[in-house]
Amino acid sequence: MSNLGQGLKTQHWDLNALPKFDKHFYKEDPAVSARSEAEVLAWRTTNQVTVQGNNIPRPVETFDEAGFPPYVINEVKAQGFAKPTAIQSQGWPMALSGRDVVGVAETGSGKTLSYCLPAIVHINAQPLLSPGDGPIVLILAPTRELAVQIQVEINKFGKSSRIRNTCVYGGVPKGQQIRDLQRGSEVCIATPGRLIDMLESGKTNLRRVTYLVLDEADRMLDMGFEPQIRKIIGQIRPDRQTCLWSATWPKEIRQLASDFQHDFIQVNIGSMELSANHRITQVVEVCTDFDKRDKMSKHLERIMEDKANKILIFTGTKRVADDITRFLRQDGWPALCKFCSTYRHVVDTNSSFSHSRRQAANRARLGSRPVQDWKISYHGCHRRCFSWYRYAYTPSLPLPFPPFRNIARLVLLRDLNMLLCVSCALCECITLN
């Protein structure tokens, strides 16, 4: 991985020789202008919004106030959203203004649309792609699961503009991705490693990129992608618009922002201090190995008094997951065991996988088995991959993960009302759409 990108040429940019492009699209709605500073401050206080920087636009409270063209507004309203989330209300005016933006908000707060809709407006204001041109918008994501999710949103809201996109990530054959890039795509959603591979082999270039997004930037740094990110950004013209979105704001992200953003403006939703989700009751029981299964059985009996409840059990290894599943079945529980390799295929909706794996995924979604046993690898499974609306309890036997700071990202389990022996990396594996 350390040698990745060594074949990329160092770019020397002459801003006077580069083609000009437009990135300033925001026009404040009269309703927004009419609000007093006290009203704006009250809205930000109510929604726990803090901003930093100079000349920050006021937040919008409705989709119509955001100033998007009708073709974008119609797509948004067709999805049935009632109003923008806090990060969207403040983030859209900031991103449409053409400024470099930093957005810090918890997972599930709507950050994806905060940069996707301005990206669509940005693309439609640029000249059409010519043969051999690379993308106009580049979105970097830490994992292929997140990249695919972003692509779904781009497809959903960009179809009226006939915006083409491609998703570039590792672990799959390159052929289709290369064909998509060579055909011409206005948007490229990519993981750093595979994108550098494409750049080194000459399959694409970043000369046309004028809108750069780093999504889940803290996660990318956690995974050791900082050298690759720096090499990729070095291939992009320096007068681009750069939007950096993150769930946390550690010093490494602050350094990245100061290195690659100019006079950036920042919006934070909630506190930037790391904390567990206050909406979830966390119960940690310390006991001997001999007592674990007996305690687990008692918890299962109590929890399943309500037949609507579902249970996930996280383990550290496949062998332990097998053992617990066997134990549960012998005790009369209809348990289903899944391993990390199965999980990774299940979440990739664009790939084909075996009938048995598809059956396992369907059983999990339909709730035919009230007890689900999962072996989870911290780096193998990632959040934003699977929907867990229906699971009420999640014990972890034994606690399989070290205390990563990503515990702050476990934030939107709407139906999860108790977490037994909470795993810090659980947040990397569970998400809500």
Side-chain angles (χ1 to χ4, degrees), residues 3 11 67 71 104 121 127 147 154 168 204 213 227 258 306 316 346 383 423:
N3 295 327
Q11 301 291 328
Y71 60 84
V104 181
V121 176
I154 292 289
V168 175
T204 190
V213 176
S258 64
D306 183 350
V346 166
R383 60 196 166 99
S423 164

Side-chain angles (χ1 to χ4, degrees), residues 98-401:
R99 306 271 300 277
D100 287 350
V101 177
V102 170
V104 181
E106 65 182 16
T107 300
S109 58
K111 294 194 296 291
T112 304
L113 281 191
S114 297
Y115 61 77
C116 280
L117 298 190
I120 292 170
V121 176
H122 185 101
I123 291 169
N124 286 325
Q126 312 308 322
L128 296 176
L129 294 180
S130 301
D133 281 349
I136 297 171
V137 170
L138 174 63
I139 303 172
L140 293 179
T143 65
R144 70 175 186 176
E145 290 83 8
L146 178 55
V148 169
Q149 178 185 328
I150 296 169
Q151 185 182 38
V152 169
E153 298 302 311
I154 292 289
N155 285 335
K156 190 185 304 179
F157 295 99
K159 62 182 179 181
S160 62
S161 303
R162 298 184 179 180
I163 291 174
R164 295 166 296 182
N165 67 76
T166 186
C167 199
V168 175
Y169 52 82
V172 296
K174 302 177 184 178
Q176 184 59 51
Q177 296 175 1
I178 292 173
R179 287 190 289 273
D180 288 343
L181 290 170
Q182 292 179 338
R183 179 197 63 200
S185 296
E186 286 84 4
V187 182
C188 177
I189 308 112
T191 55
R194 176 56 65 91
L195 178 59
I196 287 181
D197 190 11
M198 294 291 190
L199 292 172
E200 286 187 312
S201 59
K203 304 304 181 183
T204 190
N205 62 79
L206 304 180
R207 291 189 295 269
R208 282 291 305 270
V209 172
T210 51
Y211 187 95
L212 170 66
V213 176
L214 304 180
D215 196 8
E216 302 297 348
D218 52 348
R219 179 86 171 97
M220 283 195 279
L221 296 193
D222 285 343
M223 297 174 68
F225 282 131
E226 183 175 356
Q228 288 74 39
I229 292 172
R230 292 182 177 275
K231 290 173 182 176
I232 290 170
I233 295 178
Q235 302 297 306
I236 305 173
R237 56 189 293 169
D239 58 344
R240 66 190 175 265
Q241 181 180 1
T242 305
C243 298
L244 188 153
W245 303 89
S246 178
T248 57
W249 187 235
K251 62 180 181 180
E252 295 84 1
I253 299 296
R254 294 196 292 270
Q255 184 62 49
L256 199 67
S258 64
D259 289 347
F260 295 112
Q261 294 184 300
H262 308 284
D263 189 28
F264 65 85
I265 50 181
Q266 181 174 344
V267 54
N268 307 314
I269 309 300
S271 172
M272 288 189 292
E273 298 297 326
L274 295 178
S275 62
N277 188 351
H278 301 294
R279 298 191 295 272
I280 298 176
T281 300
Q282 303 183 35
V283 179
V284 178
E285 294 191 9
V286 180
C287 60
T288 65
D289 288 339
F290 181 78
D291 294 328
K292 283 181 181 178
R293 291 192 176 181
D294 185 51
K295 286 183 175 291
M296 179 179 68
S297 296
K298 291 180 180 178
H299 281 302
L300 293 180
E301 291 172 2
R302 177 179 57 82
I303 293 167
M304 292 309 296
E305 289 177 357
D306 183 350
K307 299 301 182 183
N309 284 340
K310 308 295 178 185
I311 302 171
L312 295 178
I313 299 176
F314 290 87
T315 70
T317 65
K318 295 180 181 181
R319 183 173 61 83
V320 174
D322 268 333
D323 290 344
I324 293 177
T325 303
R326 192 178 304 110
F327 163 75
L328 291 172
R329 288 177 177 174
Q330 290 172 352
D331 207 30
W333 295 100
L336 180 65
C337 183
K338 296 185 181 71
F339 296 138
C340 187
S341 57
T342 300
Y343 177 87
R344 295 182 71 172
H345 283 278
V346 166
V347 300
D348 186 4
T349 57
N350 290 331
S351 65
S352 59
F353 49 91
S354 70
H355 177 67
S356 61
R357 283 172 172 163
R358 191 178 299 277
Q359 281 185 324
N362 291 336
R363 283 201 296 267
R365 285 193 177 276
L366 297 177
S368 60
R369 299 292 184 107
V371 181
Q372 308 286 336
D373 226 347
W374 289 76
K375 183 270 176 183
I376 297 298
S377 166
Y378 175 73
H379 288 293
C381 302
H382 309 284
R383 60 196 166 99
R384 300 179 178 268
C385 304
F386 220 88
S387 300
W388 298 111
Y389 287 101
R390 305 176 61 187
Y391 293 85
Y393 296 86
T394 309
S396 179
L397 298 171
L399 185 67
F401 300 104

